[in-house]
Amino acid sequence: MEKKSYKLVLLGDTAVGKSSIANRHAKGQFFEFQEPTIGAAFITNDIMVNQEKIQLQIWDTAGQERFKNITRAYYRGANGIILVYDVKSKETFDSIRTWFQDIKELSRGDQPLVLLANKSDKKKDQVVSNNEGEALAKELNADFFEVSAKIRYNVDEAFLCIATKGTKYKADSRD
Ligand code: GTP
Ligand code: MG
């Protein structure tokens, strides 16, 4: 029997930790000096969802503004979108609405969403409260997870959540 696969897309401003989250989940690795992504990176990981093996095809996009046009090509056909901000940066939190608008404009816009508050290991420097994160997630109809790629907190849980929602979602078949 052919293995099921799901396309997931990671979106969010540069340096919020998208690559770190993808690498932590798929490879169990974390780097203090993670290079900014150029365009997009692709990584896969097999996980069990409801006793079924699913291949996650994770598109880790670049957050830098100059790659915006490239990143946009990845929205369509996704079974799930993972939005990420850095709890130490209000600016990256405010950008989530912009990323969300983009998704709505450039795709069918009904993909399952999760919102990740990353770098939660940096409690001292946290400027965006979890309550704010939860409220935004509710508004966007997304699930919310406080995560840390660094200390592997809630990362796998977040992927399991979006994959489980993805099983119920029929992706855009145009691509
Ligand atoms: P772009 O590819 O430019 O869009 O950035 P990105 O979102 O992929 O961020 P990246 O994963 O490259 O991480 C940026 C920096 O944040 C790196 O130095 C990471 O080590 C650091 N970082 C990522 N996740 C965490 C975390 O959970 N905690 C802490 N303390 N640092 C983190
Ligand atoms: Mg990256």
Side-chain angles (χ1 to χ4, degrees):
M1 202 179 78
E2 206 182 308
K3 192 163 58 179
K4 269 195 195 164
S5 63
Y6 288 144
K7 178 181 166 186
L8 300 179
V9 180
L10 279 154
L11 296 179
D13 284 1
T14 185
V16 295
K18 299 177 297 297
S19 300
S20 301
I21 288 167
N23 287 328
R24 176 53 97 189
H25 174 63
K27 296 190 198 155
Q29 295 174 334
F30 176 80
F31 304 104
E32 289 287 345
F33 301 99
Q34 176 73 44
E35 297 280 330
T37 306
I38 306 295
F42 179 67
I43 194 165
T44 67
N45 193 35
D46 288 352
I47 65 166
M48 296 299 289
V49 179
N50 302 325
Q51 282 101 50
E52 190 181 13
K53 196 185 231 180
I54 306 280
Q55 183 191 54
L56 300 183
Q57 301 180 342
I58 304 162
W59 287 97
D60 164 27
T61 67
Q64 286 176 35
E65 190 65 35
R66 64 194 170 108
F67 295 118
K68 209 97 204 213
N69 287 335
I70 303 174
T71 307
R72 286 178 166 147
Y74 292 95
Y75 300 0
R76 278 175 49 199
N79 294 89
I81 295 180
I82 303 171
L83 293 164
V84 186
Y85 67 90
D86 175 350
V87 296
K88 302 193 279 78
S89 159
K90 179 80 164 63
E91 195 187 331
T92 68
F93 177 70
D94 291 339
S95 290
I96 294 291
R97 280 179 208 280
T98 312
W99 288 107
F100 181 76
Q101 280 308 321
D102 251 36
I103 298 166
K104 292 279 170 206
E105 276 167 31
L106 295 158
S107 69
R108 215 165 65 189
D110 60 349
Q111 303 91 336
L113 297 176
V114 290
L115 178 63
L116 306 187
N118 192 36
K119 309 197 187 182
S120 66
D121 54 286
K122 292 275 193 185
K123 278 277 174 283
K124 269 198 342 285
D125 305 321
Q126 181 159 359
V127 295
V128 183
S129 73
N130 292 337
N131 283 344
E132 287 174 275
E134 267 167 23
L136 178 60
K138 203 165 179 188
E139 190 188 314
L140 307 183
N141 197 20
D143 284 281
F144 176 75
F145 289 87
E146 184 194 2
V147 304
S148 167
K150 185 169 180 173
I151 61 166
R152 192 170 206 153
Y153 174 65
N154 254 349
V155 173
D156 298 337
E157 288 79 355
F159 277 94
L160 180 61
C161 171
I162 191 85
T164 306
K165 286 174 105 184
T167 58
K168 302 188 194 100
Y169 177 75
K170 196 155 177 349
D172 196 326
S173 56
R174 286 173 299 181
D175 34 20

